Amino acid sequence: MRLCLQLLVGLLLAAPAGLRSAEVSFNHQIRPIFSEHCFACHGPDEKARKAGLRLDVRESALKPAKSGAVAIVPGAPARSELVARITATDESERMPPAKSHQKLSSVQITALRKWIAEGAVYQQHWAFEPLAKQPTPKAGNGITAVHPIDALVTAKLREHGLRLSPEASAFTLLRRVTLDLIGLPPTLAELQEFQAELRRPNANLEASYERVVDRLLQSKHYGEHLAVSWLDAARYADSNGYFGDKPRQMWLWRDWVIAA
């Protein structure tokens, strides 16, 4: 359990090498804008491409058009045709075109401006980008981060003017993790055992919680709960499902999946 948390924190703190938190990320902010609003006419499909402009490749996006205009001028959004088009007041000039029934938000336009001003740095697919560990943000707002994940969540909430919900009770935590891992609520006996453990001298909620997680992971119901999505994806059934609908021996595979 502790190892899983450490791996999760590592992934949350990892970001493309050389990318500072204040910078606009191509993969996180710009690529989604291009993909949703621009690639249909200015993407990898050569047959659908308009005006010879390809925005998914940096070298192509920086080339001058026949008119001499350059879609993206790194460091100079005011001289970038892309910015001129997405902010044009003339509907016939504005991109995306009116017939597409799409419109960029002010937030998206600001992100594109800032990205170009920062040098219009492109990135590969995130899976091919090297990772660099980023510092854990401070929780702030009078909140003490019990775990690095708390600090990360709190920092993201703060960006949206939100705060953490009140800390859940020990019994709510027990119910949540039991439902998450085995798909069933805790039994009365398990609730009483957890309560008794927390009443002992020098009781430690974190240690007790970890023991609960370890117990649930050893439960046969954990395998059953996890197997459901796999069985659904494979369209598991105990009969053929055709007009005759005769039974078939599929329970052997079902049990194998649960055991695995």
Side-chain angles (χ1 to χ4, degrees), residues 21-213:
S21 59
E23 292 180 336
V24 176
S25 164
F26 178 79
N27 277 340
H28 290 132
Q29 292 153 278
I30 304 304
R31 191 192 294 275
I33 298 174
F34 282 170
S35 180
E36 182 178 356
H37 300 285
C38 309
F39 283 170
C41 298
H42 304 294
D45 188 346
E46 186 176 357
K47 293 181 180 179
R49 196 176 302 147
K50 301 290 195 300
L53 174 60
R54 183 173 181 177
L55 291 173
D56 62 313
V57 177
R58 190 176 194 269
E59 292 73 17
S60 176
L62 269 56
K63 286 181 180 178
K66 291 181 180 179
S67 63
V70 180
I72 296 174
V73 181
R79 292 193 288 118
S80 299
E81 185 66 15
L82 184 146
V83 174
R85 288 303 190 95
I86 63 176
T87 58
T89 54
D90 186 342
E91 192 175 282
S92 64
E93 294 289 325
R94 190 171 60 244
M95 291 289 163
K99 64 180 180 180
S100 70
H101 303 292
Q102 295 188 36
K103 186 177 180 180
L104 297 182
S105 68
S106 59
V107 173
Q108 291 173 320
I109 292 173
T110 298
L112 287 166
R113 282 182 186 274
K114 190 169 186 291
W115 173 67
I116 293 174
E118 291 171 353
V121 178
Y122 276 68
Q123 291 174 294
Q124 303 179 85
H125 185 277
W126 63 265
F128 301 107
E129 286 290 323
L131 299 177
K133 190 171 183 178
Q134 303 297 303
T136 305
K138 293 182 179 179
N141 291 339
I143 298 172
T144 301
V146 178
H147 194 278
I149 291 178
D150 297 331
L152 290 163
V153 171
T154 304
K156 182 56 68 174
L157 289 174
R158 191 164 57 242
E159 289 180 17
H160 299 279
L162 302 173
R163 292 177 62 87
L164 285 172
S165 298
E167 186 173 346
S169 68
F171 302 108
T172 299
L173 293 175
L174 174 63
R175 181 178 175 82
R176 286 176 181 172
V177 74
T178 306
L179 286 168
D180 281 345
L181 293 182
I182 67 172
L184 299 168
T187 64
L188 179 59
E190 289 167 345
L191 284 167
Q192 292 172 338
E193 181 183 348
F194 193 58
Q195 185 179 35
E197 184 170 343
L198 293 178
R199 285 177 176 172
R200 294 171 187 166
N202 301 320
N204 184 293
L205 175 59
E206 184 178 352
S208 298
Y209 184 84
E210 286 193 8
R211 282 192 287 272
V212 169
V213 171

